[in-house]
Amino acid sequence: MMSDIQIRPADDRDRDFMFGLAPRMAEVADLPWHEAQDLVAFQHRFMVNAFARPKDETVTLIAQDRGGTRLGFVHGESSTDSVTLEPCGYVTLLALTKEAEGQGVAARLMAGVEDWARDKGFRLLGLDVFANNQRARAFYRRLGYREDSLRLTKPLAPKT
């Protein structure tokens, strides 16, 4: 299937498809201390902010099959490395349909955003992934990404 995957720039007609993947992104977060609807609302807010960035600072790519069926998307943006303060790229969103998993779609999307980052002259490309999303963490490791920080959260019981 890898050769049947086409990567193209997203346009306004892709917006509903991308926002429609918010529940999938929330589901794979696997954060039992948050309600499912709160995770979906978070994804929607995050996406609204990401897509509001100036177009010359971002890239959004759509993966589709030869028939035009959308399979997933990736969104990257210009950022600043927190250690060196140099400009870098940052992958804010990567999402696939359930049917596209394991078909090489995510790898093709990541290759596209990496090309964009190289073209912008960035030395680094970073991303965040939910710690409980072991499948995604293994995928990114296979692509050469390494963990450089980990945020920890503790759900607190109310005071009695």
Side-chain angles (χ1 to χ4, degrees), residues 15-65:
R15 190 171 176 84
D16 288 345
F17 166 75
M18 293 185 292
F19 275 88
L21 289 175
R24 286 221 3 98
M25 289 186 280
E27 175 186 319
V28 299
D30 189 24
L31 301 174
W33 52 90
H34 290 297
E35 297 292 326
Q37 69 268 16
D38 293 333
L39 288 167
V40 172
F42 160 75
Q43 288 297 344
H44 276 274
R45 285 191 312 272
F46 191 83
M47 292 170 77
V48 165
N49 289 334
F51 296 145
R53 296 272 315 259
K55 298 291 183 209
D56 64 332
E57 297 178 8
T58 67
V59 64
T60 307
L61 302 172
I62 295 289
Q64 63 185 35
D65 65 18

